[in-house]
Amino acid sequence: MSLFRVSTRNKQAIRETHDVPRHIAIIMDGNGRWAKRRLMPRVAGHRKGVEALRGVIRACGERGVTHLTVFAFSSENWRRPQDEVTLLMELFLRALENEVARLHENDIRFRVIGDLSGFSERIQALIRDAEMLTRNNTRLTFTVAANYGGRWDIVQAVKKLMAEGVTPEEISETALAQHFSMADMPEPDLFIRTGGEQRISNFLLWQLAYTELYFTDSLWPDFDADALDAAIASYRTRERRFGRTSEQVRAAS
Ligand code: IPE
Ligand code: IPE
Ligand code: MG
């Protein structure tokens, strides 16, 4: 079953105008509050959140976004009540079992970044299989950050560099960046956080240096294609200067 309504031919046309961010990174926040407002258990919000994610993956594919990275579980989320952590792990397991085939059919590459050793053997095996199955897909790279922390990512990159025996002189931004979990992907153009909080919560730290930030009060289970379009519309109004002046940017374009 195809997730997408438009052909890939449209993608090129959209991309050339730079209207569409290549890479969108999302903190999917507000599931618990969504459920609480409906007097439902928090896990009902997480379940609804998986549905919302399905819609956003489809919408990104239709709009020609080539990389979507979502924060599903932070290295700090283990601090939550044991019941909630257990239910989140079950949901992650079910999603891996049920959704990967559809991602593959839709030419979506699936990746997980984070410290996978924190997960059960079963989850780790499903992740490995899904990454292997979808490794040659090119339409959209969909990355889930799970047991991920931006600080963890920087530390593990430094550890890898040091294990290679590099000298202080050899350490550079480029050398370090090659060891991050998302080394092979473009840095996010647009960052979205739902749920009303205006913070990064230890998501991508290094990679967000020049990303356009967008915060919305929408709770994640309510975030749909229209909400995504509103975020992209906001992105289009931004002038990305990367340190230069507005005049320089306009002269170059
Ligand atoms: C985000 O929703 C999902 C995870 C962190 C796993 P929350 O569960 O943080 O929802 P709120 O912030 O309590 O509403
Ligand atoms: C950030 O949300 C992590 C995820 C969405 C997975 P949190 O709800 O855990 O963030 P804080 O605790 O409000 O900063
Ligand atoms: Mg939250």
Side-chain angles (χ1 to χ4, degrees), residues 28-33 42 46 72 77 80 84 88:
M28 311 181 290
D29 197 17
N31 294 348
R33 279 163 285 163
R42 291 179 61 86
H46 297 316
N77 285 145
R80 294 196 175 194
E84 182 168 346
L88 279 167

Side-chain angles (χ1 to χ4, degrees), residues 27-36 42 45-46 71-74 77 80 84 88 193-195 197 199 219-221:
I27 296 187
M28 311 181 290
D29 197 17
N31 294 348
R33 279 163 285 163
W34 183 93
K36 198 173 172 195
R42 291 179 61 86
H46 297 316
F71 207 6
F73 192 85
S74 77
N77 285 145
R80 294 196 175 194
E84 182 168 346
L88 279 167
R193 181 172 188 147
T194 62
E197 314 296 347
R199 55 175 172 253
L219 302 175
W220 176 250

Side-chain angles (χ1 to χ4, degrees), residues 88-146:
L88 279 167
M89 291 303 141
E90 273 170 28
L91 206 57
F92 191 25
L93 186 73
R94 297 282 160 266
L96 285 165
E97 286 171 344
N98 300 328
E99 309 284 337
V100 170
R102 184 159 37 174
L103 295 177
H104 186 48
E105 276 168 32
N106 284 280
D107 196 18
I108 297 171
R109 182 173 181 197
F110 175 75
R111 297 274 303 271
V112 178
I113 55 168
D115 182 2
L116 299 190
S117 67
F119 295 111
S120 69
E121 279 301 326
R122 173 99 182 107
I123 288 182
Q124 291 185 47
L126 283 167
I127 291 171
R128 273 195 302 272
D129 291 351
E131 288 185 334
M132 183 64 98
L133 175 73
T134 63
R135 69 190 183 287
N136 294 323
N137 295 345
T138 55
R139 175 167 196 143
L140 172 70
T141 298
F142 169 55
T143 305
V144 173

